[in-house]
Amino acid sequence: EAGVAQSPRYKIIEKRQSVAFWCNPISGHATLYWYQQILGQGPKLLIQFQNNGVVDDSQLPKDRFSAERLKGVDSTLKIQPAKLEDSAVYLCASSLGTSKNIQYFGAGTRLSVL
Amino acid sequence: GDSVTQMEGPVTLSEEAFLTINCTYTATGYPSLFWYVQYPGEGLQLLLKATKADDKGSNKGFEATYRKETTSFHLEKGSVQVSDSAVYFCALSPTGNQFYFGTGTSLTVIP
């Protein structure tokens, strides 16, 4: 079974530039999550999708972050414009979407904003 | 709100030493509890889980018991190996679809 795929693995940009990350979840997984993991901290949920609808985006900085999951499969997370404090690893995870389920994580995209 | 507090690191142990990483939680209801492991340069992987009080999760020699009376889910391993060096995250899920993670504990095992 293929795991959660993310790209790119690494990205370096200057502040005020834009960046986009891509995630392909495990086939058949209804729920998709984007997390931000700042160095030395645990993952913080940014947004959660159930199929192509948003379940929770309460911690997403909507003035600069956006995410979509067209057709309920792949997802993209965009930052525009980026700030220095956005430097982090962005993790995508997916799950079946049933209760008591397990999340499967991708390897993440490491973003450095200079 | 729901949250997880885990013991701060870093933790450095010699090979074959006993490991304990403490984790306590705050939650309403009966959440599921998890330990995830993150090896360098990789995403998080589920290590073990427990879904109800007194359940014991186990995998690869690691164990953790869901203790409702002490709201704890401490991770233990009797004899650590160099390959266990990683960052360990305690997490809870109150609904099965929302997850809250601790800050992580870095473990280094030296030969």
Side-chain angles (χ1 to χ4, degrees), chain A residues 9 33 37 42 48 101 105-106, chain B residues 36 38 41 43-44 89 96-97 102:
Chain A
R9 287 298 311 274
Y33 311 78
Q37 186 180 16
Q48 177 183 339
N101 70 141
F105 284 82
Chain B
Y36 280 82
Q38 187 174 33
L44 280 70
F89 292 91
N97 263 327

Side-chain angles (χ1 to χ4, degrees), chain A residues 3-4 6 35 43 91-94 103-107, chain B residues 36 43-45 101:
Chain A
V4 176
Q6 289 189 247
Y35 289 89
L91 295 167
C92 180
S94 71
Q103 286 188 320
Y104 296 87
F105 284 82
Chain B
Y36 280 82
L44 280 70
Q45 302 173 26
F101 289 84

